Amino acid sequence: MSYAAIHPDWEKPRSNMVDGYSLEMTAKEIEGLREAAPLIRPGTQIAVTFLPGEEMEQRVEAAVLVRQLGFEPIVHLSARRLTSEAELDKYLADITGKAGVKRVFIIAGDPPEPEGPYSTSLEIIETGLLEKYGIQIVGVGGHPEGHPNNSKDELWDWMERKLAAVRAHGMTPLIVTQFAFDDDAIVEWVGEMRSRGIDVPVRLGVPGPAGIKRLLGFAKRCGVGASASVMKKYGISLTNLIGSAGPDKLVDSLDKKLSDAEHGRVRLHFYPFGALTASAEWINKYDAKHS
């Protein structure tokens, strides 16, 4: 596999854990991206989410700005939030035509009932529309701490089916995980994935620096484990919710426990929770300290 297709930095072993990182933004964070842009490495891959309360035009505008600022857009597709095949077709036409998008990340989405014809991310892959519009890299989700609606075996089965479908349609797969706080759970999950023969590059989701209440709020909303013991490892006391926390301990631990030889190509994907500038500053400080 050519790791350069995922990210040019991935052809060489990482010098530290923030090499080849990616970031996430919502369609409404255009001004936040403009502010943070001078702090973000040129060519960084920036994901544009597909959340409720946004218009398609906002998402397209965000992807266009990512490209204009010298970064690489990764556009999310939420299967259950798409109302029709025509809407999917037009969205793909807009993001590829206006923002030169070559990368997408597909999730099923939160709605219990689909708003259109698609219930799963696999159904999006099988439409044939991605390759029609020149999409080259397709990201699918990974869940180191499990998922409330699927068993562990079901999650592995779904992953393998989606990866096979991406390849069958002539595209390159990538795995991007939900953010997690537990380094041991993350490392164990990557190890199990490799033991199953899944050799796909992985972006591990980690939280950017944020207020403690905000972090825990996102964790609860996303079904991420936030037990007292895990939070203590991460540096948060559940009895003291004042202040902010950064991913220093988590990233340091992952850096020590993950190796290219044993775990394959693994890089980080930061969830800034609306704080793009703070996340970019943290990444730059970490890089300077570990270079």
Side-chain angles (χ1 to χ4, degrees), residues 59-249:
R59 299 174 183 131
V60 174
E61 183 183 359
V64 169
L65 181 63
V66 170
R67 175 68 71 198
Q68 289 175 341
L69 291 173
F71 309 121
E72 184 68 30
I74 308 169
V75 174
H76 285 208
L77 300 172
S78 179
R80 294 181 184 178
R81 295 192 188 282
L82 290 162
T83 59
S84 67
E85 183 171 314
E87 183 178 58
L88 172 60
D89 190 289
K90 184 179 187 306
Y91 190 45
L92 289 169
D94 286 346
I95 60 174
T96 55
K98 298 177 181 179
V101 169
K102 300 293 182 185
R103 294 165 165 80
V104 297
F105 174 66
I106 312 176
I107 57 171
D110 297 328
E113 297 296 328
E115 297 171 16
Y118 310 116
S119 296
T120 68
S121 49
L122 182 59
E123 291 171 307
I124 301 293
I125 298 166
E126 297 286 14
T127 63
L129 290 174
L130 300 179
E131 61 265 40
K132 171 186 173 181
Y133 286 103
I135 298 300
Q136 297 173 358
I137 311 294
V138 178
V140 301
H143 302 275
E145 294 183 347
H147 190 283
N149 299 329
N150 297 100
S151 70
K152 184 178 177 181
D153 286 342
E154 287 172 336
L155 288 172
W156 288 120
D157 179 60
W158 273 111
M159 177 183 287
E160 290 173 350
R161 290 166 63 189
K162 288 183 284 189
L163 296 176
V166 170
R167 287 174 167 142
H169 284 262
M171 297 171 291
T172 299
L174 170 70
I175 296 167
V176 184
T177 76
Q178 177 58 274
F179 73 91
F181 297 110
D182 189 343
D183 57 326
D184 290 329
I186 294 169
V187 173
E188 181 181 345
W189 178 86
V190 177
E192 180 171 354
M193 182 173 59
R194 300 311 185 203
S195 72
R196 289 172 174 267
I198 301 173
D199 63 348
V200 176
V202 180
R203 285 198 177 280
L204 295 174
V206 294
I212 292 172
K213 283 188 176 181
R214 189 170 178 82
L215 273 175
L216 295 178
F218 273 99
K220 183 178 180 180
R221 190 184 317 168
C222 298
V224 172
S227 68
S229 59
V230 168
M231 290 296 95
K232 186 175 181 180
K233 284 174 57 179
Y234 185 73
I236 293 176
S237 167
L238 295 184
T239 59
N240 181 9
L241 300 182
I242 299 172
S244 61
D248 302 70
K249 287 185 178 180

Side-chain angles (χ1 to χ4, degrees), residues 9-16 19 260 265 267:
D9 285 354
W10 286 23
E11 281 294 345
K12 59 181 185 292
R14 57 181 166 82
S15 59
N16 68 57
D19 274 356
D260 286 350
R265 288 293 194 263
R267 298 292 186 268

